[in-house]
Amino acid sequence: MNLLNRYIISIFTRFFLVILVALIALYGLIDFLEKVDDFIEHGARLSHYLLFPLYNLPLILSNTIPMAILVAALARIGSLSKTSQLTALSGGGISFAQISRPMFLCGLGLSLLAFLSNAWLLPLANREAHYLVTTELEGAKTLETDREDIYLRGDDFLLNVDNAFLDRGEISGISLLLFDTDFQLLERYEAVRGHYLDAGKWELQDVHQWKFEPETRQVTSYDKHKAMIASLKKTPQELVEFWQNPEEMTLTELFGQIDKNTREGHPAEIYRIEAQVRLAKSATPLVMVLLGIPFALQRGRQANFSLGFIISLLIFMGYFLLHATFTAFAHATILPPWIAAWSANILLALLGTWFFLRMQN
């Protein structure tokens, strides 16, 4: 790597890190202020206050890195132009492509890091944050949360679960209905959480039990149990496909679930959309470099950091508006998942390429 590349990368990295730290602090502060009331209400311990931001950090990085790299690209090229360094370099026979190449390499490196984070680190961190909030923090209040109307039906039971944690073999917010051979309701169980034992058996904790008269459906008895064994006839792997949030699944798990659902004839669009969105977001840092450099050159020596930040914010808002719109089209089955996920990136990349070629000419 020659001296020029090292110089540009060092200054660009400095801009990027300073802006990234500022955005993380702002994002984290806003997120903390939104959730602090819930933490206080549920009597959170000091460890909860420390762990939750840590688990949330990959999500914050995923949302702030593209913005930081866009502002850094605008600021770096703007500073070169404002101080006449760009003119001097061009006069020395160094092309604009050579000047911008180090920043593209930084963008490519950040895109690779974003891919690794979005594929594995981010979903694992989301699982831990979700588990902390729904299980450790809320505790018994999990029973009060709203359940989705998704029930798993067996020969003699209906099962609904709020959350399924595959790695821990644990489920929470359990509603279990038992029926006779005529599908008349016999018993109802509500449990805060359950731990998998073996052979489809689960240990349910903090259980509320109601028994019914099948003909009249009147309650005949009510009991509370600290713990009890129930045969749900399902392993954690079989339960997780119904209740695990796609955002908490790694890229490998998403593609595995897509293949499984496709073979068994079940819908898989929600998993396809999430997988394509993860891949598309990984390319966003590189797109932002391509878009930021020519925008900075538009201002020439009049470029300044405040204006660059405002332009970056407007570009970023436009990007996420496009991304959200196309993703909504995918969920409404108007567009295929891969087109919806990549459309915002493609449109901004085309715009950036046009500006870039125009500036180079």
Side-chain angles (χ1 to χ4, degrees):
M1 184 181 295
N2 60 37
L3 181 61
L4 175 63
N5 288 344
R6 290 198 300 271
Y7 171 69
I8 293 176
I9 288 176
S10 65
I11 302 298
F12 176 79
T13 303
R14 193 181 308 163
F15 274 116
F16 170 74
L17 291 177
V18 170
I19 295 163
L20 181 63
V21 170
L23 290 176
I24 289 174
L26 181 61
Y27 191 118
L29 178 61
I30 294 173
D31 188 56
F32 175 77
L33 292 176
E34 286 181 351
K35 294 182 173 62
V36 67
D37 289 342
D38 293 332
F39 275 60
I40 295 173
E41 179 184 352
H42 292 98
R45 301 190 302 270
L46 178 61
S47 61
H48 294 144
Y49 286 98
L50 297 176
L51 287 174
F52 186 78
L54 182 63
Y55 294 149
N56 229 22
L57 184 59
L59 177 61
I60 295 175
L61 286 171
S62 177
N63 291 332
T64 55
I65 282 178
M67 176 71 174
I69 199 170
L70 177 60
V71 177
L74 283 163
R76 183 68 195 105
I77 292 297
S79 67
L80 286 175
S81 181
K82 191 173 183 178
T83 57
S84 301
Q85 294 181 68
L86 197 60
T87 303
L89 290 171
S90 299
I94 299 175
S95 68
F96 181 64
Q98 291 175 286
I99 298 171
S100 58
R101 186 181 301 139
M103 285 182 285
F104 278 105
L105 292 175
C106 290
L108 179 61
L110 288 170
S111 289
L112 292 175
L113 288 176
F115 169 75
L116 295 175
S117 175
N118 292 338
W120 291 283
L121 180 61
L122 179 59
L124 295 177
N126 285 342
R127 288 183 197 176
E128 295 299 325
H130 187 197
Y131 182 81
L132 185 149
V133 171
T134 60
T135 303
E136 294 185 6
L137 183 60
E138 294 183 1
K141 295 199 174 187
T142 304
L143 282 174
E144 301 175 7
T145 60
D146 295 331
R147 291 191 176 91
E148 296 182 3
D149 295 327
I150 301 176
Y151 280 84
L152 173 64
R153 178 172 178 173
D155 295 333
D156 57 355
F157 72 91
L158 285 176
L159 174 67
N160 175 253
V161 170
D162 277 344
N163 304 287
F165 303 100
L166 177 61
D167 295 340
R168 291 179 168 85
E170 183 174 319
I171 53 180
S172 66
I174 305 153
S175 178
L176 176 65
L177 305 178
L178 300 181
F179 300 89
D180 61 16
T181 54
D182 296 324
F183 213 69
Q184 297 289 329
L185 182 61
L186 295 177
E187 296 178 69
R188 173 188 170 190
Y189 296 88
E190 296 279 342
V192 171
R193 63 179 60 87
H195 296 275
Y196 184 67
L197 299 176
D198 56 23
K201 293 181 180 179
W202 294 75
E203 180 186 14
L204 305 184
Q205 298 177 355
D206 298 320
V207 184
H208 298 255
Q209 178 189 20
W210 293 265
K211 291 186 179 181
F212 298 86
E213 172 60 41
E215 298 297 331
T216 62
R217 298 183 181 178
Q218 296 296 316
V219 177
T220 59
S221 67
Y222 166 76
D223 291 300
K224 291 179 66 176
H225 306 275
K226 191 66 178 176
M228 64 179 298
I229 306 300
S231 179
L232 304 183
K233 303 176 183 178
K234 296 289 181 180
T235 65
Q237 289 79 5
E238 292 171 318
L239 287 179
V240 75
E241 64 182 274
F242 291 96
W243 291 289
Q244 187 174 14
N245 189 336
E247 293 180 359
E248 298 174 15
M249 300 174 70
T250 66
L251 203 59
T252 304
E253 291 170 343
L254 283 171
F255 284 120
Q257 193 65 47
I258 291 169
D259 181 64
K260 183 177 184 294
N261 284 23
T262 302
R263 284 188 282 105
E264 296 178 356
H266 299 308
E269 286 305 296
I270 187 173
Y271 303 106
R272 288 195 179 96
I273 294 170
E274 179 64 25
Q276 291 299 327
V277 165
R278 297 261 193 94
L279 293 173
K281 279 188 173 182
S282 300
T284 306
L286 190 58
V287 174
M288 291 302 167
V289 172
L290 179 62
L291 199 59
I293 292 173
F295 264 96
L297 287 174
Q298 293 284 335
R299 298 299 301 171
R301 294 186 179 182
Q302 298 178 353
N304 61 75
F305 183 81
S306 299
L307 181 61
F309 186 83
I310 294 172
I311 292 174
S312 300
L313 185 61
L314 292 175
I315 292 173
F316 213 59
M317 289 173 61
Y319 168 78
F320 272 104
L321 181 61
L322 287 172
H323 177 75
T325 301
F326 285 120
T327 303
F329 286 160
H331 284 288
T333 66
I334 297 174
L335 290 175
W338 70 271
I339 292 179
W342 287 91
S343 291
N345 279 2
I346 292 172
L347 289 174
L348 290 187
L350 290 174
L351 179 64
T353 301
W354 181 75
F355 275 119
F356 190 89
L357 294 176
R358 185 167 169 240
M359 288 294 97
Q360 192 172 19
N361 291 334

